Amino acid sequence: MSTLHTLKQQENNINSIAYLWMDGAFLPASPPLSLFTHGLHYGTAVFEGIRGYQNKAFELKAHLERFLLSSARLSLPCPYGLETLIEACEILIMRSHLSDFYLRPLLWTGDRTLGISSQNANIHTALLLWHWEDHFSAIHKKGGLSLMPSDWLKPSSRSVPVQAKTSFLYGPNVMSKAEIEKKGYDDALFFDHRGRVMESTGANIFFVKNNALHTPIPDYFLNGITRQKVLKIAEKNGIKTYQRDIFKDEIETMDECFLTGTAYEICAVSLIEQHHFSCHQTTDFIKKSYQDLVEAK
Ligand code: PMP
């Protein structure tokens, strides 16, 4: 059983410790969801994942802007503007007194209609906040994540709205994660129909070769906020970066590999299928620089 799988079991009790804002009100507990919820049937929902450090959300505005863009992309306009959402998040965080937390904005189509059309659907918005359990220190201790290629290919941006963080895009991620965990790996690595490296189930990917960063172009996958931070860290520190097509057979020529994401932060990869990465020198530097950023007051 993978380490991430074991640690995930701790998430099962989050309902009992979550702080909640929904449709304009702070609530003591989650209201029951109707079985006729349109978003539950068709995956018409958008969400965000935001980390909080020392009682402050990291990159709150950037995440909420992406949340609003995702909802607009799906033609499901959020009933609340950026300022209102920021204020609701800040009050929720203050009320929780949590130092390290995870904040999950969620928007979905309600139970007014169950036809495919979302034209007349009512739209709900919620903010869920809970204590952040450290899922990754065990991974860092064992030297990094093990990845296994997914059997599912990333669809093109002509097929799905790749820059929207929408629930219906996560089906292959959930399936792949379950499949590779059964084989004892931590995470799945996606490729596209041309064999280009894409991303993992919840993070972007970087390789290091001769002290330079190589990372795929985010044309068929989410251009993560953490990914963009890493590119800035590299630029500031004179580390060369190549955003380019990276094919599967190149992986074994790379010196290092790491994943980037709000939850993963900067997480070394120790294994892709049978290929080991034992050096993490540049990864450790990026990881430390990112840590300095999130902890900066
Ligand atoms: N790709 C996927 C599929 C993700 O779910 C995430 C996490 N949001 C990322 C990449 C990384 O994005 P970010 O750095 O904005 O968290």
Side-chain angles (χ1 to χ4, degrees), residues 47-49 63 66 154 165 170 173 199-204 221-227 260-263:
F47 65 98
E48 268 304 319
H63 280 281
R66 187 168 71 186
K154 275 273 153 187
K165 214 168 147 56
Y170 278 78
N173 303 32
E199 60 172 357
S200 86
T201 59
N204 294 125
F221 59 84
L222 195 71
N223 183 9
I225 291 168
T226 321
R227 177 185 185 277
T260 67
T262 298

Side-chain angles (χ1 to χ4, degrees), residues 42-167:
Y42 305 116
T44 35
V46 301
F47 65 98
E48 268 304 319
I50 306 170
R51 280 284 298 276
Y53 302 85
Q54 297 158 11
N55 205 234
K56 197 169 180 306
F58 182 61
E59 291 294 322
L60 180 62
K61 187 163 173 269
H63 280 281
L64 291 175
E65 278 171 352
R66 187 168 71 186
F67 183 63
L68 293 175
L69 279 177
S70 299
S71 74
R73 188 71 190 78
L74 267 72
S75 301
L76 303 174
C78 180
Y80 303 94
L82 184 64
E83 295 308 316
T84 307
L85 291 175
I86 289 178
E87 196 187 343
C89 287
E90 282 172 348
I91 295 174
L92 201 63
I93 293 163
M94 199 181 62
R95 285 185 174 202
S96 78
H97 297 293
L98 291 176
S99 174
D100 293 333
F101 58 83
Y102 190 83
L103 176 57
R104 164 63 52 96
L106 179 68
L107 176 145
W108 69 100
T109 43
D111 62 2
R112 193 188 293 155
T113 172
L114 207 46
I116 297 284
S117 171
S118 59
Q119 280 285 86
N120 297 316
N122 47 332
I123 294 172
H124 291 291
T125 317
L127 304 166
L128 292 89
L129 180 89
W130 63 87
H131 171 66
W132 172 257
E133 293 287 344
D134 182 9
H135 297 207
F136 288 90
S137 59
I139 296 288
H140 297 317
K141 242 181 239 163
K142 76 170 179 116
L145 291 157
S146 56
L147 306 186
M148 174 81 182
S150 169
D151 290 336
W152 299 96
L153 301 178
K154 275 273 153 187
S156 93
S157 51
R158 293 287 306 278
S159 303
V160 292
V162 291
Q163 298 307 333
K165 214 168 147 56
T166 165
S167 301

Side-chain angles (χ1 to χ4, degrees), residues 136-147 186 205-213 239 251 254-259 266-272 275-289:
F136 288 90
S137 59
I139 296 288
H140 297 317
K141 242 181 239 163
K142 76 170 179 116
L145 291 157
S146 56
L147 306 186
D186 295 315
I205 191 163
F206 282 78
F207 294 95
V208 182
K209 191 173 179 174
N210 300 328
N211 303 317
L213 301 185
I239 300 172
I251 290 176
M254 300 294 186
D255 302 328
E256 300 179 36
C257 178
F258 61 90
L259 299 187
I266 310 301
C267 194
V269 170
S270 59
L271 183 72
I272 300 182
H275 183 74
H276 289 269
F277 297 93
S278 48
C279 173
H280 302 308
Q281 199 182 334
T282 304
T283 304
D284 287 344
F285 174 79
I286 302 278
K287 185 171 159 55
K288 167 86 178 56
S289 309

Side-chain angles (χ1 to χ4, degrees), residues 243-259:
Q243 296 189 59
R244 63 178 181 86
D245 290 343
I246 300 170
F247 290 87
K248 196 175 179 192
D249 56 5
E250 262 191 86
I251 290 176
E252 59 186 40
T253 70
M254 300 294 186
D255 302 328
E256 300 179 36
C257 178
F258 61 90
L259 299 187

Side-chain angles (χ1 to χ4, degrees), residues 13-49:
N13 62 358
I14 55 171
N15 277 340
S16 58
I17 53 164
Y19 296 83
L20 181 69
W21 174 96
M22 188 171 148
D23 297 337
F26 294 92
L27 302 180
S30 178
L33 267 195
S34 161
L35 290 177
F36 292 93
T37 296
H38 184 273
L40 184 63
H41 290 254
Y42 305 116
T44 35
V46 301
F47 65 98
E48 268 304 319

